[in-house]
Amino acid sequence: MEISGIISAIVIGIVIGVLGRLVVPGRQRIGILWTIAVGIVAALVGAAIASAFDVADTKGIDWIEWLIQIGLAALGVAALDRAKARR
C-alpha cells in the first residue's frame, strides 16, 4: 500500500466512523477520536473482507464494500460504547 492509499484509507475511515456512529441508535458515550479510530479500523478490515469476497473493485461505486465497512464501524462503535458503559 502506498502513502496515498494510507491517507485515503484514513480519510475514508473518518467518514466510515461517522456513518457507523449514525447507524447506531441512541447516544454513544465515546468521543470523536474513538469514532475515527473505529472507522479507520473498519475501513481497513472491510476493504480486506471485500477483497476476499472479490467485491472490492467493481465498476462505479463499490456499494458492497461501503456497506461492509459501515456495518463493521457500527458494530465497533456499539461494542466500544457498551464497554465504556460498564465502567
Side-chain angles (χ1 to χ4, degrees), residues 2-87:
E2 296 177 6
I3 189 73
S4 62
I6 293 171
I7 292 172
S8 64
I10 291 171
V11 171
I12 291 171
I14 292 169
V15 173
I16 294 293
V18 170
L19 289 174
R21 187 172 180 145
L22 289 175
V23 170
V24 176
R27 183 175 186 271
Q28 292 83 37
R29 298 176 243 358
I30 61 172
I32 191 69
L33 292 178
W34 280 111
T35 302
I36 291 170
V38 166
I40 291 169
V41 170
L44 294 173
V45 172
I49 291 172
S51 292
F53 287 112
D54 202 28
V55 294
D57 293 322
T58 59
K59 294 179 183 176
I61 300 173
D62 298 327
W63 293 109
I64 297 172
E65 182 178 9
W66 275 85
L67 290 174
I68 292 170
Q69 291 170 334
I70 292 170
L72 288 173
L75 286 173
V77 166
L80 191 59
D81 180 49
R82 200 166 287 209
K84 290 246 182 191
R86 289 184 187 164
R87 291 183 183 180

